[in-house]
Amino acid sequence: MYPNLKLEIFKRGLHQNHLARSLGIDETLLSKIIHGYREPTALQRHSLAGFLAVEESWLFEKYEGSLNGSGHGSPRVDPGDGIDEIP
């Protein structure tokens, strides 16, 4: 999942279908890229970053954690060791 990409689209009030049309790509493909089901090509990465006027490397930072609410992978602050993961 690319949370920064999703955030930028949301912050700008864009609709995925409008963005996809503007970039000349399929809406379904854009959705798959946003949600991490498909890797964007170098051209798609460059086009999206340019359209949104943000750094490409930042835009495509991946989130690998769990969003299922189970608590696995949630950060925990431990004063002695820094940040650990809750088992």
Side-chain angles (χ1 to χ4, degrees):
M1 183 170 164
Y2 296 111
N4 295 337
L5 176 56
K6 195 169 189 172
L7 174 67
E8 284 301 312
I9 292 169
F10 175 76
K11 280 179 17 181
R12 291 166 175 17
L14 295 171
H15 293 273
Q16 286 184 25
N17 60 350
H18 170 73
L19 180 58
R21 271 196 309 269
S22 297
L23 297 173
I25 62 175
D26 182 71
E27 286 179 55
T28 305
L29 174 61
L30 178 60
S31 179
K32 288 178 180 179
I33 290 170
I34 292 168
H35 293 95
Y37 296 116
R38 181 111 181 236
E39 289 297 319
T41 65
L43 179 60
Q44 290 164 343
R45 290 172 63 104
H46 182 74
S47 297
L48 281 160
F51 186 90
L52 297 170
V54 296
E55 286 291 322
E56 186 177 321
S57 58
W58 175 82
L59 191 63
F60 290 99
E61 287 178 0
K62 272 201 160 189
Y63 177 77
E64 302 293 345
S66 172
L67 295 177
N68 64 11
S70 68
H72 297 291
S74 300
R76 177 186 70 198
V77 176
D78 183 68
D81 298 313
I83 297 176
D84 294 325
E85 292 216 3
I86 297 172

